[in-house]
Amino acid sequence: MASKQQCKYGAKCYRKNEQHLKDYGHPKQKAHEDDDEQPAKKKKKIVVEEPKQKLTTISDFFGKKKPNEKDGEKDSDEGPSRSTSSGAAGFLDESPKEDDEESPNEDDDQPSSPEDVKENIKRKFLVEMPHDFYDFWEFCKSKNSKHPEDAMSKDFGFQLVGPYDILAGKHKGVKKNRGGKRPNFLLHWRYYYDPPEFQTIVKSDDKNMYHLGYFRDDPAELPVFVGSNKTADSCIISPKGDNIFAAIKLTLDECLKSKNFDAVKKKKLQSFQEDLKDFANSKKYSLDMKTKSMKDRDKKVVCKTFHGAGMVVPLDENEVGYREVPEEPADLKKMFKAVVEAKSESDRDKKMEAIQELVTLVQFANDECDYGEGLELGLDLFSYGGEPLHTIISHLLPLAYQLLGRHEYSQIIEAHLKRRSRSANLSELE
């Protein structure tokens, strides 16, 4: 029998089209096969650490555009297993799992609920909340002592969600979510386009899926700003100040300028906003759209990314840490669109070629410690959206976050890709 023609991507090929596998051979890649061929070239050693222990209506004013898919439709894909040996060269060597089900152990491995509420939130969501998060809860208590989370619901359509549900005690006694599994707090109010850097804290109506959240570049750091996203429209994250008081105030400013509120509601809105300003000023929170800390962060942004909030990665004195993806955003979107909208598996397999070339370049960048390229490409793929891209994302982003020491984000993206939904009902506590 004649031997198969070898695929030029070898063991790093992620294409699973049956005809491709039938026509081409994919030998396993040796761990350091080019070390012997180039003994004179010194490679930088990259050590991927194991992830840390798991601790996870402003109505029509915001527009009426609906998502491309029906509510409740899911894009899901089980991510690949990964080698954590030193060197990034083999990070595409292993094939994605066939089974889309979550492992039984994962369902049983739930974070504890310590008495200290701050530690409780950190264990469930893997990040700490800033002071303004708790101060805003106190402000809402002054408006609705029994249910602070609903202080803005009746008149403005805003509800406090996400980590605020822990303060509200909504997690107590909840053993199963609507899917029959134990609640996964890493997915609690995580909208379709929310990257790991974005943590939802306020939601609006279900039609527009407008929501506010904290954005932080590193899970070990406090948020750099509060942003807004309208999932029904796009992946864009728009900065709205460096604290929740500013974000709510600026959002209500926009509402006051609209024609969607009658005189009675506008009067209530103005009264609420005045009280919010007084409380924020007493706590010395800025109500500006852009603060000095946000401007300082802008100087560190290495690229815009599709979601518009930008990306920050550490750079050394020689600017090692990031190299740009060698394609213009418009061309990347064309590549992604071609794959997502392919009419057949064979057509999709062919369209994958261009993205595979970029993934190979990311591999070389990782070998040279420019981890930012893989993060940028992975985030852009995620922000574009589409289940056919999930396999590539699951190869790129978890590894990028581990190489950057952002292990919590690796856990979040892996959980999100397993159960990524375009639904507006994203509570894990119902």
Side-chain angles (χ1 to χ4, degrees), residues 30 51 57 65 93 99 131 146 177 185 201-202 271 284 287 307 320 334 336 387 418 428:
K30 295 179 182 178
T57 61
K65 185 174 180 180
D93 291 356
D99 190 359
H131 291 301
K146 290 186 178 180
N177 59 23
F185 290 93
I201 52 174
V202 179
S271 176
K284 296 182 169 39
L287 296 176
H307 60 53
V320 172
K334 288 179 182 177
F336 302 165
E387 190 274 335
K418 287 177 183 177
E428 285 286 302

Side-chain angles (χ1 to χ4, degrees), residues 56 121 124-125 159-171 174 177-178 182-192 194 198-203 211-212 412 415-416 419 424-430:
T56 184
I121 289 174
K124 287 177 168 57
F125 295 92
Q159 185 175 19
L160 303 184
V161 295
Y164 276 120
D165 286 330
I166 305 302
L167 295 183
K170 291 186 177 181
H171 64 297
V174 178
N177 59 23
R178 61 185 176 276
R182 291 184 183 179
N184 187 338
F185 290 93
L186 300 184
L187 302 177
H188 187 50
W189 290 107
R190 181 161 295 281
Y191 286 80
Y192 186 83
D194 291 354
F198 192 69
Q199 176 67 60
T200 299
I201 52 174
V202 179
K203 84 174 195 74
H211 56 291
L212 298 171
I412 292 171
H416 198 184
R419 198 147 45 91
N425 185 4
L426 297 165
S427 174
E428 285 286 302
L429 301 177
E430 293 182 1

Side-chain angles (χ1 to χ4, degrees), residues 385-396:
E387 190 274 335
L389 300 176
H390 282 186
T391 298
I392 313 169
I393 299 168
S394 66
H395 281 303
L396 290 170

Side-chain angles (χ1 to χ4, degrees), residues 263-282:
V264 175
K265 280 201 171 184
K266 282 194 174 183
K267 189 173 181 180
K268 288 182 179 180
L269 190 153
Q270 288 171 332
S271 176
F272 182 91
Q273 192 176 54
E274 287 304 315
D275 291 343
L276 182 145
K277 288 180 186 177
D278 290 341
F279 192 98
N281 289 333
S282 72

